[in-house]
């Protein structure tokens, strides 16, 4: 297993639409394992393959709380097939370090995907996991949470983020 480098906005790979995974090979399984290790090390609650520079439709998530057992989900070619309600929680992203903002999302979603054994899975969920699925599937469509901000808020973000990136580069 390996910890992979996470790309930061505005890396162009993050803005691309990812390709479907056509076959679940050993390479895909290894990639998924590395993504899981990278997500836990960050730490984060979700990671999409484009964030580590692989433009394929693969995400990993674990939204379990601190004192709960891990609830790891690896989803290949995930899609939202039903959604309802509204929520607006503060989100962050491993590809947008140091910035957090509230984003309008659906409160409940039904998601369909393949697992690593190529079985079709459907999950109906709400709360943090529902938000995380929407956030990670957005990544597969080249969309970041900051793309949901109003143009005024996005302008503020861009100014702040420039400083955040400068500070990060100084630390390296
Ligand atoms: Ni993200």
């Amino acid at each position: 297993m390996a910890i992979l480098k996470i790309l930061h906005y505005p890396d162009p790979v993050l803005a691309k639409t990812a390709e479907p995974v056509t076959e679940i090979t050993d390479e895909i399984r290894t990639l998924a394992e590395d993504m899981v290790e990278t997500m836990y090390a960050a730490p984060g609650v979700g990671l999409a393959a484009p964030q580590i520079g692989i433009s394929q439709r693969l995400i990993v998530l674990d939204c379990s709380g601190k004192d709960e057992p891990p609830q790891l989900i690896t989803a290949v070619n995930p899609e939202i097939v039903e959604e309802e309600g509204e929520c607006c929680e503060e989100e962050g992203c491993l590809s947008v370090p140091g910035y957090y903002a509230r984003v309008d999302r659906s409160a409940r979603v039904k998601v369909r995907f393949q697992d690593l054994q190529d079985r079709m899975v459907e999950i109906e969920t709400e709360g943090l996991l529902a938000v995380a699925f929407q956030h990670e599937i957005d990544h597969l469509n080249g969309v970041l949470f900051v793309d949901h901000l109003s143009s005024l808020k996005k302008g503020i973000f861009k100014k702040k983020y420039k400083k955040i990136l400068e500070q990060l580069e100084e630390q390296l």
Side-chain angles (χ1 to χ4, degrees):
M1 297 229 275
I3 293 176
L4 307 164
K5 184 174 177 276
I6 296 173
L7 302 180
H8 291 160
Y9 172 83
D11 191 291
V13 178
L14 295 170
K16 269 176 63 176
T17 301
E19 297 290 329
V21 175
T22 50
E23 197 187 344
I24 298 168
T25 57
D26 285 345
E27 275 113 72
I28 291 290
R29 291 189 188 97
T30 303
L31 173 63
E33 277 178 20
D34 290 346
M35 284 171 58
V36 169
E37 194 176 6
T38 304
M39 172 181 74
Y40 284 136
V45 299
L47 189 69
Q51 292 182 273
I52 44 105
I54 309 277
S55 201
Q56 298 224 48
R57 304 187 80 82
L58 171 65
I59 62 174
V60 296
L61 310 119
D62 188 341
C63 292
S64 56
K66 251 188 204 159
D67 303 318
E68 292 167 4
Q71 285 166 20
L72 178 64
I73 296 170
T74 298
V76 180
N77 300 323
E79 359 166 25
I80 292 166
V81 290
E82 277 174 37
E83 54 192 317
E84 58 168 21
E86 289 166 24
C87 69
C88 187
E89 296 295 331
E90 188 167 76
E91 295 181 32
C93 179
L94 296 174
S95 293
V96 188
Y99 193 80
Y100 303 87
R102 287 182 175 276
V103 179
D104 291 323
R105 301 283 189 187
S106 300
R108 287 171 294 284
V109 292
K110 188 197 271 187
V111 187
R112 187 181 296 156
F113 58 87
Q114 290 149 267
D115 68 12
L116 290 177
Q117 280 71 47
D118 207 3
R119 292 175 298 214
M120 270 296 180
V121 179
E122 263 187 16
I123 292 183
E124 275 186 68
T125 188
E126 58 186 0
L128 181 57
L129 185 59
V131 170
F133 264 117
Q134 292 169 80
H135 178 119
E136 299 311 327
I137 292 171
D138 264 359
H139 274 299
L140 305 181
N141 297 321
V143 175
L144 299 178
F145 79 100
V146 290
D147 293 324
H148 290 284
L149 302 177
S150 65
S151 57
L152 176 68
K153 281 189 178 164
K154 192 151 187 197
I156 296 168
F157 156 71
K158 281 189 172 165
K159 270 189 208 150
K160 279 191 183 165
Y161 187 70
K162 203 165 160 249
K163 284 187 191 139
I164 292 168
L165 274 193
E166 281 166 7
Q167 282 169 354
L168 268 182
E169 274 158 26
E170 278 167 28
Q171 284 167 19
L172 293 176

